[in-house]
């Protein structure tokens, strides 16, 4: 039996693919065996029924009644494009009630929160695609009864981008920065000045961006908000800073790694009073990449150490001091070449980041957002997306860490997650419902490599991908969800595992392709 599933590593974010779960049993066995070893050292604990499983999701925390409530929008069904926006109202620290709250149902969009009309209630900016492929956007004001109503402030209806509040003209009210594509396919990055609740577009000359992010940040400490852009433009990929000068925005001449299917977060990572930033996404060669850049004299940036940071694409990022040590940490979700991740990167006193092995479900097409929902002084998480089993998840994860304690000696910090490194044997496999040989008809195809030792991280995946796109040009429009097998201690065991995967493909009537090198 074939199951409809979400494409983890699609070249186009709107595509879905078919496949069989059975071929992943080797990975699941590995995951289940070792995940039990981390149970006693769980840093984050899931709160049951605290969210809604979604894909292509955006989420924020919204404050109301001295409590934080997660709001999430996205696709809620793995078998159709049914879209919902749900306000998860916190009743107690372990009880949430899902309501619609009169918000529009949107996906593939952006979301931000601020008290837009200064009435003491936090409001939402939302943009994206509604049911029926209708593009929609607006600022939604919170009512005293907990519902929302659309304001008279107009936003351009864009998808595959972001929306962010920020007072760029320093007049005390919230302006808007929004990017993405409109319903006709045109790309835009738009600044909207807030004039007494009415939004008017400002001429900026910024390149239009999709599959990325537009961020406000004061990078040169002149009191004016600058803009960081990352994503796909009409002329290629981009990551760049645009400094605000005399009402205009001037592009930095410094090189930053251009990415798309990307996200970015701005924060002072080394406590020197200057705003740094981290980006994660996909390179032009289809590889995952995570980078952070430290701000310096005259707003010249230097690349930070990549040690301990996993390279991810189709990413989401959020920054916050989750452990109360005075340094800003980062949570990142996204996809490597073998599976999705959700990773908490602890800031090591401004000298790099370290994966704390938080035991969180890895998600693709998802999001993770910091928020101290239980008011205990450490930051909790709301996580939603598609996990490695192709389940849609959405939950609050409570942080169990006492922020006063030193976490450096915690066993959470020292347990290695990936125990398969070293001179062991692997193979790589993948599948698609596609037409890789341009026959004019789609069908199910499975691709399997021969047995190899891994010399460095992901080198087998990179070679596998290179062979695919070289031998099968149609693969560029197909599912690129590569999976590396478990580590085997002998070639004989690895070959037996490979035969199991091939048998699974054959059982589901896949055409088998062997990619040997």
């Amino acid at each position: 039996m074939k199951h409809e599933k979400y494409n983890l590593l699609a070249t186009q974010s709107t595509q879905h693919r078919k496949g069989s779960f059975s071929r992943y049993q080797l990975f699941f066995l590995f995951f289940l065996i070792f995940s039990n070893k981390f149970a006693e050292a769980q840093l984050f604990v899931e709160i049951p029924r605290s969210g809604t499983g979604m894909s292509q999701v955006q989420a924020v925390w919204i404050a109301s009644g001295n409590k934080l409530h997660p709001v999430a929008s996205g696709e809620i069904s793995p078998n159709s494009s049914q879209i919902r926006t749900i306000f998860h109202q916190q009743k107690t620290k372990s009880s949430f009630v899902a309501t619609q709250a009169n918000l529009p149902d949107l996906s593939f969009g952006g979301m931000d929160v601020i008290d837009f009309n200064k009435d003491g209630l936090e409001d939402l900016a939302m943009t994206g695609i509604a049911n029926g492929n209708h593009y929609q956007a607006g600022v939604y004001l919170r009512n005293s009864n907990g519902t929302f109503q659309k304001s008279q402030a107009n936003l351009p209806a864009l998808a595959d981008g972001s929306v962010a509040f920020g007072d760029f003209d320093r007049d005390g009210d919230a302006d808007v920065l929004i990017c993405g594509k409109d319903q006709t396919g045109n790309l835009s990055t738009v600044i909207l000045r807030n004039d007494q609740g009415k939004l008017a577009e400002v001429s900026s000359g910024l390149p239009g961006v999709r599959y990325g992010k537009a961020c406000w940040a004061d990078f040169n400490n002149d009191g004016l908000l600058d803009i960081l852009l990352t994503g796909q433009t009409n002329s290629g990929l981009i990551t760049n800073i645009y400094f605000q000068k005399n009402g205009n925005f001037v592009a930095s001449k410094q090189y930053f790694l251009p990415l798309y299917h990307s996200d970015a977060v701005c924060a002072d990572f080394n406590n020197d009073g200057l705003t740094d930033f981290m980006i994660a996404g996909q390179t032009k060669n289809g590889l995952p990449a995570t980078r952070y850049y430290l701000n310096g004299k005259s707003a010249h940036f230097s690349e930070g150490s990549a040690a301990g940071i996993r390279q991810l694409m189709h990413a989401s990022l959020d920054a916050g001091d989750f452990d109360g040590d005075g340094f800003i940490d980062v949570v990142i979700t996204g996809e490597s070449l073998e599976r999705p991740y959700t990773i908490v990167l602890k800031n090591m006193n401004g000298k790099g980041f370290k994966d704390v092995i938080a035991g969180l479900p890895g998600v693709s097409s998802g999001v993770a957002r910091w928020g101290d929902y239980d008011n205990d002084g450490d930051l909790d998480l709301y996580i939603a997306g598609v996990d490695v089993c192709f389940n849609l998840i959405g939950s609050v994860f409570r942080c169990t860490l006492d922020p006063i304690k030193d976490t450096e000696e915690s066993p959470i910090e020292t347990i290695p997650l990936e125990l398969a490194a070293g001179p062991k044997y692997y193979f790589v496999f993948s599948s698609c419902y596609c037409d890789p040989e341009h026959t004019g008809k789609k069908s199910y195809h499975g691709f399997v490599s021969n047995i190899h030792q891994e010399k460095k991280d992901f080198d087998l995946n990179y070679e596998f991908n290179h062979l695919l796109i070289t031998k099968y040009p149609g693969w560029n429009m197909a599912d690129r969800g590569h999976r590396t097998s478990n580590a085997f201690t002998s070639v004989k065991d690895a070959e037996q595992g490979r035969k199991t995967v091939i048998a699974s493909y054959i059982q589901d009537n896949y055409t088998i392709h062997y990619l040997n090198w």
Side-chain angles (χ1 to χ4, degrees):
M1 177 179 178
K2 299 182 178 69
H3 307 266
E4 185 73 12
K5 67 185 182 184
Y6 279 87
N7 173 13
L8 290 183
L9 298 173
T11 55
Q12 297 186 9
S13 61
T14 58
Q15 293 177 322
H16 302 306
R17 306 294 175 208
K18 292 184 177 180
S20 169
F21 293 164
S22 59
R23 72 184 63 89
Y24 300 111
Q25 58 188 312
L26 294 173
F27 174 79
F28 295 158
L29 179 61
F30 170 83
F31 180 80
L32 291 172
I33 289 172
F34 290 109
S35 62
N36 290 332
K37 296 185 178 182
F38 307 133
E40 296 181 358
Q42 193 70 32
L43 177 58
F44 292 87
V45 176
E46 184 176 8
I47 305 301
R49 297 176 296 281
S50 56
T52 303
M54 291 183 175
S55 175
Q56 309 301 343
V57 57
Q58 290 292 332
V60 295
W61 293 95
I62 190 166
S64 176
N66 296 318
K67 295 178 179 179
L68 286 181
H69 316 270
V71 181
S73 65
E75 297 181 352
I76 64 169
S77 172
N79 298 313
S80 67
S81 298
Q82 187 178 7
I83 298 170
R84 288 289 182 270
T85 296
I86 300 178
F87 183 95
H88 302 93
Q89 185 177 8
Q90 182 191 163
K91 295 297 186 180
T92 68
K93 292 181 180 180
S94 59
S95 174
F96 291 79
V97 176
T99 65
Q100 197 272 338
N102 201 37
L103 289 168
D105 296 323
L106 300 177
S107 186
F108 294 101
M111 186 185 296
D112 200 11
V113 60
I114 204 169
D115 183 3
F116 184 77
N117 58 355
K118 301 180 182 180
D119 65 351
L121 301 174
E122 289 194 327
D123 310 306
L124 285 171
M126 297 181 63
T127 180
I129 303 176
N131 291 297
N133 200 38
H134 174 67
Y135 283 50
Q136 187 172 337
V139 176
Y140 297 86
L141 306 177
R142 187 85 190 275
N143 298 317
S144 58
N145 65 1
T147 63
F148 292 81
Q149 66 179 29
K150 189 175 183 181
S151 75
Q152 297 300 311
N154 292 321
L155 293 181
L158 303 178
D160 294 333
S162 66
V163 60
F165 288 115
D167 185 10
F168 91 99
D169 56 0
R170 297 192 295 184
D171 65 352
D173 53 24
D175 309 304
V176 177
L177 175 65
I178 183 171
C179 71
K181 69 162 185 171
D182 65 20
Q183 193 138 13
T184 66
N186 292 323
L187 307 187
S188 300
T189 299
V190 179
I191 298 173
L192 299 163
R193 177 186 286 114
N194 186 347
D195 293 324
Q196 299 181 345
K198 296 181 180 180
L199 296 176
E201 184 173 346
V202 174
S203 178
S204 66
L206 294 168
V209 168
R210 71 182 296 196
Y211 298 142
K213 183 76 170 286
C215 306
W216 295 111
D218 182 6
F219 289 109
N220 53 6
N221 275 3
D222 63 355
L224 299 173
L225 289 180
D226 310 305
I227 293 173
L228 171 66
L229 290 182
T230 179
Q232 182 185 66
T233 72
N234 287 323
S235 58
L237 308 187
I238 190 176
T239 298
N240 206 359
I241 292 172
Y242 295 81
F243 295 103
Q244 185 181 170
K245 294 182 179 180
N246 302 319
N248 299 314
F249 288 86
V250 180
S252 168
K253 296 181 181 180
Q254 189 172 352
Y255 174 83
F256 306 104
L257 181 65
L259 299 172
Y260 73 130
H261 295 302
S262 54
D263 196 10
V265 67
C266 303
D268 182 3
F269 293 132
N270 55 0
N271 289 357
D272 64 352
L274 301 174
T275 301
D276 315 305
F277 70 93
M278 181 179 289
I279 55 173
Q282 184 173 328
T283 69
K284 65 179 181 180
N285 296 321
L287 301 179
T290 306
R291 302 285 189 274
Y292 75 97
Y293 296 89
L294 298 174
N295 202 345
K297 185 177 180 181
S298 301
H300 182 80
F301 291 78
S302 59
E303 188 172 332
S305 170
I309 299 178
R310 186 170 292 279
Q311 308 301 295
L312 297 178
M313 58 187 176
H314 298 264
S316 78
L317 292 161
D318 199 20
D321 181 9
F322 89 94
D323 54 2
D325 67 351
F327 287 88
I328 299 297
D329 311 299
V330 174
V331 61
I332 179 172
T333 75
E335 304 152 12
S336 67
L337 289 182
E338 82 281 9
R339 67 181 178 93
Y341 286 89
T342 298
I343 295 172
V344 173
L345 294 173
K346 175 179 170 56
N347 189 329
M348 305 302 289
N349 300 325
K351 298 178 181 179
F353 292 89
K354 185 176 183 179
D355 182 352
V356 300
I357 317 300
L360 296 165
V363 294
S364 64
S365 303
V367 68
R369 293 288 179 257
W370 294 116
D372 184 11
Y373 92 97
D374 55 1
N375 295 314
D376 66 350
D378 51 30
L379 294 182
D380 312 297
L381 285 167
Y382 185 79
I383 300 173
V386 187
D387 72 10
V388 71
C389 301
F390 300 100
N391 298 311
L392 303 187
I393 69 167
S395 285
V396 174
F397 291 80
R398 181 177 61 85
C399 182
T400 63
L401 182 65
D402 182 348
I404 299 175
K405 295 179 181 179
D406 181 6
T407 63
E408 292 305 304
E409 298 302 321
S410 168
I412 296 172
E413 297 278 348
T414 58
I415 297 176
L417 176 61
E418 299 202 359
L419 303 180
K424 297 183 172 62
Y425 299 92
Y426 306 83
F427 60 92
V428 188
F429 55 101
S430 190
S431 65
C432 68
Y433 178 71
C434 58
D435 182 17
E437 297 174 307
H438 293 302
T439 64
K441 183 180 179 180
K442 289 185 177 182
S443 60
Y444 296 95
H445 296 265
F447 304 84
V448 185
S449 80
N450 50 346
I451 308 299
H452 294 275
Q453 288 187 343
E454 187 179 61
K455 296 179 180 178
K456 60 181 180 179
D457 289 347
F458 311 125
D459 62 345
L460 304 184
N461 300 81
Y462 296 156
E463 181 62 24
F464 186 82
N465 180 61
H466 173 71
L467 289 176
L468 270 176
I469 63 178
T470 300
K471 189 173 181 179
Y472 302 102
W475 182 254
N476 286 323
M477 297 301 295
D479 184 350
R480 303 179 69 180
H482 313 151
R483 296 292 177 270
T484 306
S485 70
N486 287 353
F488 295 93
T489 57
S490 69
V491 173
K492 181 180 178 181
D493 290 342
E495 185 56 39
Q496 184 58 48
R498 181 172 175 266
K499 289 179 179 178
T500 300
V501 169
I502 293 170
S504 173
Y505 278 132
I506 293 174
Q507 181 180 356
D508 287 343
N509 297 317
Y510 279 70
T511 300
I512 304 299
H513 306 270
Y514 297 96
L515 297 176
N516 298 329
W517 72 90

